[in-house]
């Protein structure tokens, strides 16, 4: 597999992750906040129930768009702006 093919696989996974309105809302919420938020805060702001939010967080994390950190019993999510800059430069500013 060439580097271009690998990059294309990553792009396809990113576009698949971003093809859902709820996941776009999660990305927008994180971008506008400018900081890491708890998964509960994001779900509340986006009006997404916990079980559905978990699925969306996993999809975004696997696409490399977010990072998740656990502190005690609380999970926090943040944007991986490096991924956006590499594969979708300027995208976040359009939100």
């Amino acid at each position: 597999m060439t580097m271009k093919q690998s990059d294309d696989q990553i792009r396809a996974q990113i576009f698949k992750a971003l093809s859902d309105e709820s996941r776009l809302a999660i990305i927008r919420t994180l971008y506008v906040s400018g900081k890491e938020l708890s998964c509960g805060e994001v779900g509340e702001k986006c009006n997404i129930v916990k079980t559905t939010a978990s699925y969306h967080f996993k999809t975004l994390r696997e696409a490399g768009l977010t990072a998740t950190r656990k502190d005690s019993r609380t999970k926090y999510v943040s944007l991986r702006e490096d991924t956006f800059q590499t594969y979708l430069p300027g995208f976040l500013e359009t939100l």
Side-chain angles (χ1 to χ4, degrees), residues 46-95:
C46 296
N47 200 26
I48 303 171
V49 296
K50 189 174 181 176
T51 53
T52 305
S54 293
Y55 168 75
H56 290 312
F57 290 133
K58 179 180 181 232
T59 301
L60 291 168
R61 184 177 60 251
E62 287 176 349
L65 299 174
T66 61
T68 305
R69 174 181 71 85
K70 191 171 182 177
D71 183 14
S72 186
R73 299 180 74 205
T74 305
K75 284 187 179 179
Y76 294 91
V77 65
S78 59
L79 282 182
R80 293 269 320 271
E81 292 192 31
D82 58 322
T83 301
F84 283 97
Q85 293 309 318
T86 301
Y87 294 100
L88 298 169
F91 176 80
L92 292 172
E93 290 78 16
T94 68
L95 299 174

Side-chain angles (χ1 to χ4, degrees), residues 8-68:
D8 286 348
Q9 285 181 337
I10 293 168
R11 283 185 184 94
Q13 190 174 12
I14 288 169
F15 287 126
K16 185 178 177 183
L18 293 175
S19 69
D20 182 277
E21 289 180 27
S22 294
R23 291 191 286 268
L24 280 171
I26 291 169
I27 295 296
R28 182 179 300 109
T29 299
L30 290 169
Y31 179 68
V32 169
S33 78
K35 62 180 181 178
E36 170 184 80
L37 296 172
S38 74
C39 291
E41 287 174 302
V42 175
E44 201 173 285
K45 288 178 188 246
C46 296
N47 200 26
I48 303 171
V49 296
K50 189 174 181 176
T51 53
T52 305
S54 293
Y55 168 75
H56 290 312
F57 290 133
K58 179 180 181 232
T59 301
L60 291 168
R61 184 177 60 251
E62 287 176 349
L65 299 174
T66 61
T68 305

